[in-house]
């Protein structure tokens, strides 16, 4: 091999990034990658041979936090007889445990909170100069986005994310997010549009707008306060963009201007993830969710009037402190009434530092029993909805070819995953797929030869 090439290869440092948690962490990992590349690092998928290991973490439940320490334990074993990679822990565990983490796991070189990612190039340089145990966990969201706006978003997926809102001011009594992500902050419409155009130039056809409370988006532009509805309407005008989604929404912020978008914005998909958490007003109050079951149902009703085929998904917490059999039945009733297309359900997990952590938990056996009942019900509804699609033609945005299979992957307007026969040239296009089979999570089908009219 050419000596110069050999030397360059040695000089070329690489990084490996692993992501836990929500879609906002996924977006952040991509942006961290964009940042690290600016100082000459190259992304690798080879964990056996990396110069820098970045673990982007989630603090939402205890299990998610413990996974971080297990992961670093495994990494240590792998590198026992090799040069140690730089280890950065980013994300919500880094923010919440910062100094403590550095003490508990000495293999970590730096902890970097979600509002401090702009410092990562500087941190890597410091570590390369033999400085260790660095703690970057300040909340400086303005500086973060000011810096990130200067760096192009290199994501080139058909379906991509843009964070438009960070943080949370809701303070639900069970949740760590307001403490790990800080106060609500909304990015300007201009920077969102610039980033959207970058993604579209890279081939993106669908954008999901992200925020811990995305529908609380509020940006003061001169005399006008811009809301999520303004972002959706502006993005809709970009011709090459086919689909728009947003997540996660809080029922309290489901305002009429946003609901109205479903009347005329055809690019806005008929699907809404609207976490209810519980169907009991007593528990919703204890959770500090700021809405009632009736208010939640009213939103669903309003939206179904405007967009009759709209589908809803939700998150549920089962076995919250004080949850009685009657409270649980109210949740079951809500699920039956709304018929969610899919949902996440979790047993309540006590998180240190949250107000609910001072309450007495209910018996774990009861929590588990209730979770099984709820999950069985949610599964039945989901399967039934999927079954109803068999024989129908659906508009599918083709995202990618599956690895090691001659099949393609895409989603329905209602976000259901679909696996089907198609061609390489279909990637990035919306094509009509005839649904032939289903399981709990997915639909299966093939591209139709003749153009038939599609219902959805
Ligand atoms: N902002 C979103 C909302 O208000 O609905 C939720 C964001 S949170 C990152 C995702 C989900 O994690 C929540 O909807 C909730 O169901 C679940 N979660 C949060 N804290 C939890 C806890 N202490 N125990 C169990 N599940 C929890
Ligand atoms: Fe957590 Fe509640 Fe904020 Fe959602 S709204 S991130 S559940 S505190
Ligand atoms: Fe987890 Fe933080 Fe997201 S706690 S769910 S990574 S906001």
């Amino acid at each position: 091999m050419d000596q110069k090439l050999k030397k360059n290869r040695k000089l070329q440092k690489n990084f490996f990034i692993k992501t836990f948690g929500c879609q906002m962490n996924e977006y952040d990992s991509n942006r961290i990658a964009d940042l690290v590349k600016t100082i000459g690092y190259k992304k690798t998928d080879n964990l056996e041979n990396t110069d820098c290991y970045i673990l982007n973490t989630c603090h939402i439940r205890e299990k998610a936090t413990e996974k971080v320490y297990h992961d670093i334990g495994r990494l240590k074993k792998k590198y026992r007889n090799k040069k140690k990679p730089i280890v950065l822990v980013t994300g919500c565990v880094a923010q919440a445990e910062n100094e403590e983490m550095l003490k508990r796991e000495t293999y970590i070189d730096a902890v970097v909170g979600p509002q401090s990612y702009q410092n990562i190039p500087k941190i890597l340089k410091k570590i390369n100069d033999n400085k260790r145990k660095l703690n970057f966990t300040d909340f400086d969201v303005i500086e973060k986005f000011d810096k990130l706006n200067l760096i192009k978003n290199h994501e080139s997926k058909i379906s991509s994310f843009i964070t438009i809102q960070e943080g949370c001011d809701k303070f639900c009594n069970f949740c760590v997010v307001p403490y790990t992500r800080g106060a609500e902050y909304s990015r300007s419409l201009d920077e969102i549009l610039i980033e959207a155009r970058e993604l579209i130039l890279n081939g993106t056809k669908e954008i999901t707008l992200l925020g811990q409370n995305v529908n609380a988006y509020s940006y003061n532009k001169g005399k006008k306060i811009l809301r999520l509805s303004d972002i959706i309407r502006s993005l809709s005008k970009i011709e090459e963009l086919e689909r728009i989604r947003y997540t996660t929404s809080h029922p309290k912020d489901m305002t009429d201007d946003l609901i109205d978008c479903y009347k005329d914005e055809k690019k806005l998909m008929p699907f809404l993830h609207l976490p209810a958490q519980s169907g009991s007003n007593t528990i919703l109050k204890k959770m500090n969710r700021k809405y009632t079951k009736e208010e939640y149902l009213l939103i669903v009703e309003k939206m179904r009037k405007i967009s009759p085929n709209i589908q809803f998904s939700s998150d549920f917490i089962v076995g919250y402190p004080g949850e009685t059999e009657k409270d649980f039945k109210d949740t079951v009733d809500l699920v039956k009434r709304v018929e969610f297309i899919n949902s996440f359900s979790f047993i309540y997990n006590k998180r240190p530092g949250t107000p609910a952590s001072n309450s007495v938990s209910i018996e774990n056996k009861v929590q588990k029993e209730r979770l099984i009942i709820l999950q069985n019900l949610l599964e039945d509804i989901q399967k039934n909805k999927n079954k109803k699609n068999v024989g129908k033609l659906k508009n599918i945005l083709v995202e990618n070819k599956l690895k090691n299979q001659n099949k393609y992957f895409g989603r329905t307007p209602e976000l259901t995953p679909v696996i089907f026969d198609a061609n390489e040239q279909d990637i990035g296009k919306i094509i009509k797929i005839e649904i032939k089979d289903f399981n709990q999570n997915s639909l299966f089908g093939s591209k139709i030869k003749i153009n038939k009219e599609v219902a959805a």
Side-chain angles (χ1 to χ4, degrees), residues 167-211:
C168 179
D169 294 344
K170 297 280 187 300
F171 289 91
C172 300
N173 285 335
F174 52 82
C175 183
V176 294
V177 172
Y179 313 99
T180 62
R181 293 274 175 167
E184 279 176 10
Y185 169 83
S186 298
R187 295 176 71 190
S188 77
L189 171 65
D190 292 345
E191 55 187 273
I192 295 165
L193 288 178
I194 289 172
E195 198 168 328
R197 290 206 179 92
E198 277 169 16
L199 290 171
I200 290 163
L201 275 178
N202 298 346
T204 288
K205 299 286 179 195
E206 173 179 273
I207 289 179
T208 304
L209 303 169
L210 297 180

Side-chain angles (χ1 to χ4, degrees), residues 281-331:
N281 286 342
T282 317
I283 295 299
L284 287 171
K285 195 143 199 249
K286 282 192 176 156
M287 287 176 165
N288 191 28
R289 284 294 285 181
K290 304 179 177 79
Y291 54 85
T292 61
K293 177 185 186 182
E294 292 71 29
E295 283 164 342
Y296 186 96
L297 286 168
L298 198 64
I299 298 169
V300 172
E301 194 187 311
K302 257 192 200 175
M303 295 193 68
R304 283 195 170 140
K305 248 187 209 151
I306 288 182
S307 176
N309 293 325
I310 194 165
Q311 297 293 334
F312 295 87
S313 76
S314 177
D315 294 343
F316 292 99
I317 296 180
V318 176
Y320 195 73
E323 186 189 74
T324 61
E325 199 53 41
K326 156 90 177 57
D327 294 320
F328 178 64
K329 281 198 174 125
D330 286 343
T331 299

Side-chain angles (χ1 to χ4, degrees), residues 69 72 76 100-108 133:
Y69 291 105
I72 295 176
K76 260 161 101 176
E100 204 146 298
M101 217 175 181
L102 292 172
K103 274 189 215 142
R104 176 168 162 187
E105 184 43 89
T106 53
Y107 207 64
I108 301 171
K133 304 281 134 217

